[in-house]
Amino acid sequence: MPSLFDRFEIGDLSLSNRMVMAPLTRSRAVANNTPTALMATYYAQRASAGLIITEATQVCPEGQGYIATPGIHSAEQVAGWKQVNQAVHAAGGKTCLQLWHVGRISHTFFQPNGAAPVAPSAIRANMQAYTDKGMEDCSEPRALETSEVQALVQTYGKAAQNAKDAGFDMVEIHAANGYLVDQFLRDQTNRRKDTYGGSIENRARFLMEIVEAVLKVYPAHRVGCRISPASKFNDIDDSNPQALYSYVAEQLGRHGLGYLHAIEGQTGGARDADPRVDFAALRKAFKQAGGRATMVNNGYTREMAESAVGSGEADLVAFGVPFLANPDLVARFKNGHPLNAPDPATFYGGAEKGYTDYPVFG
Ligand code: 8OZ
């Protein structure tokens, strides 16, 4: 029976265990959205994870919707991420950059020249953004032209090249949580009349073209994708999520991707949020089509994770808040040690406090 603490191979990439640090937005990239030495320290402290997935990282300036999130579109950002990779690799860890574009989950405050955020369709999200004036409603987005969608695909390819130049072992395409790729996937937010809207195949086209662009840079087993089929976080939904995500899982599997990472249930909330979604069926579709590994996420305890891996339900388990508060989470789980309590007041923004000062056990 496989254990959470066994090595796991994804092609030529050897993970020291099956515990993955989930992507966690921390909003500490202060100047020009550039990764800092403090971020390198934070990630290196957590290098005993089998794999570290970075916080969501915008592929272009228009992809931003929150304060101080890092980018992967400037030379300065690539240099910043190089420091992170050097630190994590020196500590024996493996890294995966999460490629992100917020789409309509933004505000003119974040956009170059104060322009409208972009989206598949001009439908405002009933959400708020934290701007210089405090919380404000997300701005009404503008629908992307077909040629702009095609250009954005190339932007993802360029971002993947930047990630490779910065030394990342893998990249993960963020297709979850109501951001741009998810806005294309789901029919509540995608009302397009061109080849990127309408049928499931059309709505998934943007994601699949991004996959193809990224595969020109990374071999398939070093590319993952994160989805959240049952989550309505960021004001999003679909009329038939099982049909939509079965197609997505199968297509991603056909490309032989390294992993399919699914948030089970509502992001950061109930695991049984949407009874319409059968996650085991999605995992099976991905693997049967040729996908390598499955990664599960959302509120896993050590016991739940051991059972998921031991039973073969999943290959990898991603932990968010537990890794945030416990740099030595792997050793704590292995030894049955108690966990540090997370401090939600320091999740976003700030400096060392609640970031690099969580103690290791003992
Ligand atoms: C929390 C705060 C800001 C962004 C996600 C990138 O939900 C995020 C995010 C989460 O995927």
Side-chain angles (χ1 to χ4, degrees), residues 65-346:
Y66 302 85
I67 294 201
T69 55
I72 187 73
H73 50 84
S74 77
E76 197 186 359
Q77 290 161 354
V78 171
W81 281 121
K82 249 181 213 167
Q83 292 182 75
V84 171
N85 280 309
Q86 278 160 2
V88 175
H89 290 150
K94 294 279 192 282
T95 57
C96 177
L97 179 81
Q98 195 191 47
L99 299 169
W100 188 37
H101 191 307
V102 296
R104 68 179 193 149
I105 306 300
S106 190
H107 189 278
T108 54
F109 168 70
F110 292 106
Q111 297 297 312
N113 307 314
V118 298
S121 302
I123 305 167
R124 201 186 70 78
N126 186 19
M127 293 296 293
Q128 293 204 310
Y130 184 73
T131 72
D132 58 341
K133 299 192 189 72
M135 296 308 290
E136 292 197 38
D137 288 348
C138 284
S139 306
E140 165 112 16
R142 147 182 102 72
L144 288 158
E145 302 289 340
T146 304
S147 61
E148 291 179 303
V149 179
Q150 290 157 346
L152 261 174
V153 168
Q154 301 315 312
T155 299
Y156 273 83
K158 180 71 173 56
Q161 184 60 55
N162 286 343
K164 195 174 182 194
D165 293 345
F168 282 100
D169 299 296
M170 298 187 78
V171 288
E172 174 179 282
I173 299 163
H174 193 344
N177 295 344
Y179 297 111
L180 184 64
V181 177
D182 209 11
Q183 290 158 30
F184 271 86
L185 290 175
R186 297 202 236 189
D187 58 13
Q188 183 188 291
T189 44
N190 183 343
R191 307 279 171 80
R192 298 181 70 88
K193 304 281 181 235
D194 64 4
T195 53
Y196 293 97
S199 65
I200 285 174
E201 189 184 345
N202 279 0
R203 283 183 275 129
R205 190 178 310 282
F206 180 51
L207 170 58
M208 295 312 155
E209 289 184 358
I210 290 171
V211 168
E212 284 162 24
V214 170
L215 291 185
K216 290 188 181 136
V217 180
Y218 277 90
H221 68 278
R222 285 174 179 263
V223 178
C225 182
R226 191 179 211 210
I227 57 172
S228 56
S231 185
K232 297 177 177 63
F233 175 62
N234 279 329
D235 186 23
I236 200 159
D237 202 0
D238 189 78
S239 60
N240 191 348
Q242 190 62 24
L244 169 62
Y245 290 96
S246 296
Y247 176 81
V248 167
E250 190 197 332
Q251 292 300 313
L252 294 173
R254 280 193 187 190
H255 282 291
L257 287 206
Y259 66 75
L260 179 67
H261 180 185
I263 301 170
E264 298 160 298
Q266 180 71 4
T267 306
R271 291 180 46 79
D272 57 356
D274 190 338
R276 295 176 299 171
V277 182
D278 176 350
F279 285 93
L282 299 181
R283 292 192 292 268
K284 192 170 164 198
F286 176 71
K287 281 213 163 175
Q288 276 188 344
R292 304 266 183 145
T294 55
M295 189 187 296
V296 292
N297 171 240
N298 209 10
Y300 275 79
T301 61
R302 181 187 127 187
E303 291 70 25
M304 287 162 69
E306 282 181 332
S307 152
V309 169
S311 66
E313 242 171 86
D315 300 305
L316 302 162
V317 183
F319 301 89
V321 171
F323 257 120
L324 178 158
N326 298 277
D328 56 340
L329 186 66
V330 176
R332 286 181 190 240
F333 273 8
K334 212 182 236 174
N335 299 315
H337 290 147
L339 302 186
N340 294 323
D343 170 22
T346 51

